[in-house]
Amino acid sequence: MATKEQELGQIACNINQSLRSYFCPTMEIGAIVDHPDGYKVKIIDGCYLDPTYGRVSNWWTWKQVKQDGSLGKKASGYGW
């Protein structure tokens, strides 16, 4: 049987996962996502959290996915 601390820890973990899925970005390297300008892009580099300092970065590099499936030129900017 779980202790009270373990139960509360599991509740906190569930809340964090729920909030993360609602608020955190879905962008990740390799993902193809919709750009706000109305076209798809493939994420080729970047991060949401700076791995060194743990601060929010949300800086990404991507290539536009053309209609034939090929990739366009590289662009970078803050996530959306």
Side-chain angles (χ1 to χ4, degrees):
M1 184 165 187
T3 67
K4 195 58 120 178
E5 290 82 14
Q6 289 171 323
E7 289 178 24
L8 291 174
Q10 186 60 49
I11 291 169
C13 183
N14 291 342
I15 291 170
N16 281 333
Q17 287 177 340
S18 295
L19 290 173
R20 200 172 286 127
S21 67
Y22 183 77
F23 290 108
C24 289
T26 57
M27 293 171 62
E28 62 185 358
I29 296 172
I32 295 177
V33 298
D34 292 322
H35 190 278
D37 291 341
Y39 51 86
K40 294 203 178 290
V41 297
K42 182 171 183 170
I43 306 299
I44 59 172
D45 196 14
C47 63
Y48 181 72
L49 290 177
D50 178 280
T52 303
Y53 302 105
R55 295 181 287 207
V56 172
S57 169
N58 203 22
W59 183 262
W60 301 93
T61 302
W62 60 85
K63 289 186 176 185
Q64 182 175 351
V65 179
K66 298 179 180 182
Q67 286 204 313
D68 67 0
S70 65
L71 300 177
K73 65 179 185 171
K74 187 166 46 170
S76 293
Y78 288 104
W80 49 87

